[in-house]
Amino acid sequence: MPTLEIDQLLNREQVAERLLDASDKHSFDPDVEVAWDALEDGKWCIPEKLVSLYGTPMWEAMPLEQRLDLSRHEAASTASIGIWFEIILMQLLTRHMYDLDYLSDHVRYALTEIADECRHSKMFARMIRRLDCPLYRPDALVRFLGRFIKTYATTPGAFTATLLCEEILDRMQRQIFPDESVQPMVRDVTRIHVVEESRHIRYAREELARQMRVCGPVERRWTRFSSGVAAVVVAESIISPEVYANVGLDREEALRQARASAHRGETLRWSAEKLTSFLQETGVIAGPIATGLWRRARLL
């Protein structure tokens, strides 16, 4: 084995060993750690500046009660799509592990991450029920694109998709759990998710950088394209258009205003700026097609 590959393998194991140790010290049981009954009148479910319609003419016309209600449904939409993302990520991780050494720390950590994602999905489902909201599913086209990504993504493409889901939500959730204007239950859920997802992000970043160093030109081009498609899927899935109808708004007009909102576009770019900088450095975002897709998603 060439020296470079030996160095990369050792680094991969060293990273996994540290992440396994952190998992032993800082993992949570949501059934115990979340104050599931802590719902208070007059509190947001996400900070108002993160609500998709914030700053639009429709937002200015909405009474406070309806704004709070929209934040509740948008929190449920984000959690619903979070479950869908987690299910895709677990499949990508099992694909990644399939031909690797099952005794390695790298695979042990991948299995640990899958266990984390299972807990997170159950936690999100319980939060949606406590918020008395429906499960918001992506539309048929987005579900098809998700199926495409989980089936045909390259290994670096799979880790890019992982980071897409995790880093965007992570940056938004870091604004939620310290905010005392937000429901205590939601703050508990986001705190757990942020702490445990930080390990997943480190694992995915390390592996993506490693994979992009060694993959061939065809795999690199396909990774760029499929990752751009994933960016569009993620950005357009976080908030379901159905949330607007469920709080008594005109669905199509609300969707139009949200998509035209400069504040919303800036929020999306802000949520992804650390990720897009990293992906440009590693060569995932490069060339007119991939760059165009990321701009189409309003993440760049």
Side-chain angles (χ1 to χ4, degrees):
M1 181 181 289
T3 302
L4 176 63
E5 292 185 17
I6 292 174
D7 289 344
Q8 289 171 346
L9 181 60
L10 289 172
N11 183 57
R12 174 190 267 177
E13 286 295 274
Q14 289 164 356
V15 169
E17 183 180 359
R18 294 189 190 106
L19 293 174
L20 285 165
D21 183 59
S23 296
D24 287 340
K25 295 176 180 176
H26 304 290
S27 291
F28 304 93
D29 179 355
D31 290 336
V32 175
E33 301 279 349
V34 176
W36 292 108
D37 294 326
L39 290 173
E40 302 176 11
D41 292 338
K43 290 208 166 184
W44 300 89
C45 288
I46 57 176
E48 60 177 324
K49 290 185 178 181
L50 294 183
V51 179
S52 64
L53 287 177
Y54 179 83
T56 64
M58 186 171 278
W59 178 264
E60 298 303 324
M62 293 166 61
L64 177 59
E65 184 178 355
Q66 192 175 31
R67 293 179 181 181
L68 291 169
D69 202 27
L70 180 58
S71 83
R72 178 170 64 91
H73 281 268
E74 291 201 2
S77 176
T78 303
S80 297
I81 296 304
I83 296 171
W84 181 65
F85 287 161
E86 306 284 30
I87 290 170
I88 291 174
L89 298 184
M90 286 187 277
Q91 293 178 74
L92 292 172
L93 280 171
T94 54
R95 279 180 51 199
H96 172 62
M97 290 186 291
Y98 191 77
D99 290 317
L100 300 181
D101 178 3
Y102 301 156
L103 304 185
S104 68
D105 282 342
H106 183 74
V107 168
R108 283 183 60 216
Y109 184 75
L111 292 168
T112 301
E113 180 170 337
I114 288 172
D116 290 345
E117 304 296 22
C118 286
R119 289 198 313 279
H120 295 169
S121 295
K122 292 189 294 180
M123 177 174 69
F124 289 156
R126 186 170 178 180
M127 186 183 83
I128 294 166
R129 291 199 303 268
R130 289 291 297 125
L131 292 175
D132 194 24
C133 288
L135 177 68
Y136 287 102
R137 295 183 182 275
D139 63 28
L141 175 59
V142 171
R143 287 200 303 274
F144 169 78
L145 291 173
R147 192 178 299 276
F148 169 85
I149 291 164
K150 75 178 181 61
T151 304
Y152 296 107
T154 61
T155 298
F159 281 100
T160 302
T162 299
L163 287 170
L164 252 169
C165 304
E166 293 179 340
E167 292 215 34
I168 291 173
L169 293 181
D170 178 78
R171 194 144 203 221
M172 290 186 178
Q173 288 178 340
R174 286 178 184 272
Q175 303 300 304
I176 296 174
F177 76 83
D179 190 335
E180 294 186 0
S181 72
V182 174
Q183 293 286 357
M185 179 192 71
V186 178
R187 293 172 63 197
D188 284 348
V189 167
T190 55
R191 175 181 56 83
I192 289 172
H193 197 244
V194 163
V195 171
E196 297 189 342
E197 287 294 325
S198 66
R199 301 191 291 267
H200 304 176
I201 289 169
R202 170 73 188 281
Y203 182 77
R205 276 186 170 235
E206 293 280 346
E207 190 60 26
L208 175 58
R210 187 179 299 112
Q211 293 287 338
M212 287 299 289
R213 284 197 299 269
V214 300
C215 70
V218 173
E219 186 176 20
R220 187 173 288 109
R221 286 195 293 270
W222 181 247
T223 296
R224 289 170 179 163
F225 172 72
S226 62
S227 298
V229 172
V232 174
V233 168
V234 170
E236 295 191 354
S237 300
I238 295 172
I239 303 300
S240 168
E242 298 307 314
V243 302
Y244 305 125
N246 287 341
V247 299
L249 298 172
D250 181 305
R251 178 185 183 278
E252 297 307 319
E253 179 59 19
L255 185 59
R256 186 192 70 77
Q257 290 195 25
R259 287 177 172 171
S261 168
H263 174 79
R264 183 61 177 173
E266 183 57 35
T267 297
L268 288 171
R269 285 187 290 276
W270 163 83
S271 71
E273 64 184 359
K274 290 184 178 180
L275 172 62
T276 53
S277 176
F278 172 72
L279 295 181
Q280 287 170 323
E281 290 174 7
T282 53
V284 174
I285 299 178
I289 295 175
T291 301
L293 286 167
W294 281 84
R295 286 184 175 147
R296 162 72 177 79
R298 295 200 291 174
L299 297 176
L300 189 65

